[in-house]
């Protein structure tokens, strides 16, 4: 199987988490750039990375890289790519996205149009056709231009990987599945420790924790564009990747995961989402105010995305809530907590300075992940907890 140069975009600030995931899958990371990790992999790697990577937004095959400072140059170099090696006669192909940073070519619409025309010309010459029906499998193309260097990619995922398929409904200002998984992977949590989200909303954080704890591959129950690429990826490779994921899943995992929220209606949504994800047996949902937060276990982990303005009517409500959080959280002996918020004065009202602070984006919203590390559990307690 030929090796590809694979690109995995991710949210800014989470490149190190994705890099580790890719290495854990057994693939060689070539380079890390802002918002993406580039690695080497064959056709099976395309299947496995789509099914397994929790923090990537999509998986792409880079078909070529070149410099272009004019539309003529972009056209000629795109036309020179051996597109017939990737796209069959009946393939449906289009430029789904073009982005440009610090480059002479900057109009996304024009870049998309020029690239499509160049592809049509190349494939028309090869297949001796002037018009394409495009009735077959989808081959979406994405173009990235940075400092005049053009990266031409085939998008193997099509639908972004954060769309796991289990979220039928969400709460206001939901956290994406990829960001939720990243926060958990950044934390000290493992399946032997208790996990709590006291503001669980529609359940994304606790569902992602349950999937990680039970080793349930996030892409197991969804489809990808490249499944239709019979010319590039034989069907048996997808079957092999799915079989591997099914074997690694532990339906009997012993997990202690709780999702609390003050809103009983949103908890119904959370339960439904957990059922759709196949992890309802691992999570205990309960209507509970953060004021009443208690837990009999020690050394647990809280990962949460509390309300910060978008769900509360004014600043004083946010400040009061964070003060209450500070009082409730510190009553949990030896616990670690990770709190994502855009509220700049969080630490002041929470009443405790974080050991670590990490800048992250929740959608377009600039946030900080405040990290408070509790004591490490003794080995004996860890083994039997």
């Amino acid at each position: 199987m030929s090796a590809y140069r694979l690109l995995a975009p991710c949210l800014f600030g989470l490149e190190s988490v994705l890099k580790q995931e890719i290495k854990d899958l057994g693939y060689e990371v070539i380079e890390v750039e802002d918002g993406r990790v580039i690695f080497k992999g064959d056709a099976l790697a395309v299947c496995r990375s789509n099914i397994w990577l929790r923090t990537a937004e999509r998986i792409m095959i880079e078909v070529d890289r070149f410099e272009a400072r004019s539309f003529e140059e972009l056209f000629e170099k795109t036309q020179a790519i051996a597109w017939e090696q990737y796209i069959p006669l009946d393939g449906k192909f289009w430029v789904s996205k073009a982005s440009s940073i610090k480059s002479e070519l900057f109009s996304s619409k024009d870049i998309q149009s020029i690239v499509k025309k160049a592809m049509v010309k190349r494939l028309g010459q090869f297949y001796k056709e002037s018009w394409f029906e495009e009735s077959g499998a989808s081959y979406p193309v994405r173009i990235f231009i940075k400092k005049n260097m053009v990266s031409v990619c085939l998008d193997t995922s099509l639908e972004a990987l954060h769309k796991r398929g289990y979220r039928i409904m969400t709460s206001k200002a939901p956290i994406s599945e990829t960001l939720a998984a990243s926060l958990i992977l950044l934390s000290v949590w493992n399946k032997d420790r208790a996990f709590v989200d006291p503001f669980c909303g529609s359940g994304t954080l606790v569902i992602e924790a349950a999937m990680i704890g039970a080793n349930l591959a996030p892409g197991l129950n969804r489809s990808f564009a490249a499944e239709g690429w019979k010319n590039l990826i034989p069907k048996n490779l997808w079957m092999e990747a799915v079989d591997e994921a099914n074997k690694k899943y532990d339906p009997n995992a012993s997990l202690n995961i709780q999702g609390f929220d003050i809103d009983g209606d949103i908890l119904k949504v959370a339960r439904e989402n957990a059922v759709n994800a196949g992890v309802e047996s691992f999570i205990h949902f309960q209507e509970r105010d953060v004021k009443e937060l208690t837990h009999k276990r020690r050394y647990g982990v809280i990962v949460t995305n509390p309300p910060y303005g978008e769900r509360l009517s004014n600043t004083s409500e946010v400040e009061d809530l964070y003060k209450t959080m500070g009082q409730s959280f510190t009553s949990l002996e030896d616990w670690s907590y990770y709190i994502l918020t855009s509220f700049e004065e969080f630490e002041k009202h929470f009443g405790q300075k974080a050991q670590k602070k990490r800048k992250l984006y929740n959608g377009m919203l600039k946030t900080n992940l405040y990290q408070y590390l509790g004591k490490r559990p003794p080995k004996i307690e860890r083994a039997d907890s």
Side-chain angles (χ1 to χ4, degrees):
M1 278 191 280
S2 59
Y4 294 119
R5 186 176 152 95
L6 300 175
L7 270 64
C10 63
L11 297 170
F12 284 106
L14 297 172
E15 297 86 357
S16 62
V17 187
L18 176 55
K19 179 186 175 184
Q20 189 57 53
E21 270 205 285
I22 291 166
K23 286 168 83 173
D24 289 346
L25 265 188
Y27 299 113
E28 181 193 340
V29 171
I30 301 168
E31 57 189 284
V32 179
E33 297 176 356
D34 285 347
R36 61 182 184 173
V37 180
I38 300 149
F39 64 106
K40 198 190 285 185
D42 56 14
L44 180 58
V46 170
C47 310
R48 293 183 71 235
S49 51
N50 269 298
I51 287 170
W52 277 107
L53 292 178
R54 300 179 191 279
T55 62
E57 291 301 317
R58 59 186 69 246
I59 304 299
M60 297 178 289
I61 295 172
E62 188 178 67
V63 296
D64 202 2
R65 264 183 310 162
F66 52 78
E67 189 178 31
R69 293 173 180 271
S70 67
F71 283 120
E72 291 77 17
E73 203 176 358
L74 178 66
F75 183 90
E76 284 165 16
K77 289 181 177 178
T78 302
Q79 190 193 336
I81 296 169
W83 287 109
E84 63 277 3
Q85 291 177 15
Y86 299 97
I87 299 169
L89 178 59
D90 67 346
K92 181 184 177 185
F93 59 98
W94 72 103
V95 183
S96 59
K97 188 178 180 185
S99 60
S100 175
I101 303 165
K102 296 177 181 171
S103 300
E104 284 167 56
L105 301 178
F106 54 84
S107 165
S108 297
K109 209 171 174 184
D110 290 336
I111 294 164
Q112 286 172 286
S113 174
I114 295 286
V115 169
K116 171 80 179 189
K117 281 177 187 166
M119 292 174 72
V120 168
K121 187 162 185 191
R122 170 77 188 212
L123 291 168
Q125 287 170 344
F126 182 82
Y127 290 119
K128 312 269 189 291
E129 294 283 347
S130 57
W131 183 80
F132 293 93
E133 197 175 303
E134 298 194 44
S135 57
S138 293
Y139 293 80
V141 174
R142 289 171 86 93
I143 307 293
F144 300 91
I145 309 179
K146 188 175 180 182
K147 294 179 181 172
N148 301 313
M149 281 302 298
V150 182
S151 177
V152 182
C153 300
L154 277 175
D155 178 6
T156 74
S157 308
L158 186 54
E159 283 268 32
L161 295 182
H162 74 259
K163 295 181 179 177
R164 320 274 205 232
Y166 64 74
R167 282 206 320 204
I168 303 306
M169 281 178 65
T170 62
S171 54
K172 285 183 197 169
I175 188 171
S176 78
E177 295 88 330
T178 42
L179 178 54
S182 300
L183 299 185
I184 295 158
L185 294 173
L186 278 168
S187 79
V188 294
W189 183 72
N190 62 54
K191 63 182 182 178
D192 297 327
R193 292 190 181 198
F195 182 97
V196 172
D197 179 0
F199 304 96
C200 74
S202 50
T204 309
L205 274 158
V206 286
I207 290 168
E208 291 294 323
M211 291 171 80
I212 291 167
N215 210 19
L216 178 57
L220 193 54
N221 296 312
R222 54 156 286 174
S223 56
F224 310 97
E227 285 180 75
W229 300 359
K230 309 274 192 309
N231 58 321
L232 296 175
I233 303 173
K235 193 179 176 184
N236 68 296
L237 294 184
W238 285 104
M239 290 166 71
E240 187 181 325
V242 167
D243 283 348
E244 176 198 22
N246 280 322
K247 280 175 189 158
K248 289 191 171 180
Y249 168 52
D250 180 6
N252 303 310
S254 176
L255 304 176
N256 190 314
I257 297 174
Q258 283 95 31
F260 302 136
D261 205 283
I262 200 167
D263 183 343
D265 289 334
I266 201 65
L267 282 173
K268 287 177 190 164
V269 173
R271 286 189 183 99
E272 196 177 331
N273 288 342
V275 169
N276 294 335
V279 294
E280 72 278 9
S281 63
F282 301 120
I283 308 166
H284 172 67
F285 289 104
Q286 192 181 344
E287 192 175 328
R288 187 189 281 197
D289 194 308
V290 71
K291 277 186 255 188
E292 296 151 15
L293 182 63
T294 58
H295 207 288
K296 60 185 180 187
R297 295 274 287 270
R298 289 177 67 185
Y299 311 109
V301 177
I302 287 172
V303 182
T304 193
N305 173 39
Y308 39 85
E310 80 295 332
R311 281 177 280 175
L312 295 174
S313 57
N314 58 50
T315 304
S316 64
E317 274 188 57
V318 178
E319 291 171 354
D320 289 346
L321 175 68
Y322 291 171
K323 189 178 175 184
T324 304
M325 280 171 61
Q327 291 160 351
S328 294
F329 285 21
T330 47
S331 68
L332 297 168
E333 201 180 350
D334 302 322
W335 278 54
S336 299
Y337 16 98
Y338 298 76
I339 301 144
L340 185 75
T341 175
S342 66
F343 196 69
E344 288 293 340
E345 295 190 328
F346 170 77
E347 289 165 303
K348 176 185 163 187
H349 299 287
F350 187 68
Q352 201 181 336
K353 202 160 173 58
Q355 281 117 308
K356 287 185 186 175
K357 199 163 93 169
R358 193 179 187 120
K359 276 187 187 149
L360 296 172
Y361 282 85
N362 185 6
M364 296 304 289
L365 193 63
K366 193 170 135 191
T367 62
N368 282 306
L369 177 66
Y370 296 92
Q371 303 171 57
Y372 297 85
L373 304 175
K375 286 182 189 169
R376 291 189 62 174
K379 283 185 179 161
I380 302 163
E381 186 148 350
R382 229 182 307 174
D384 63 15
S385 62

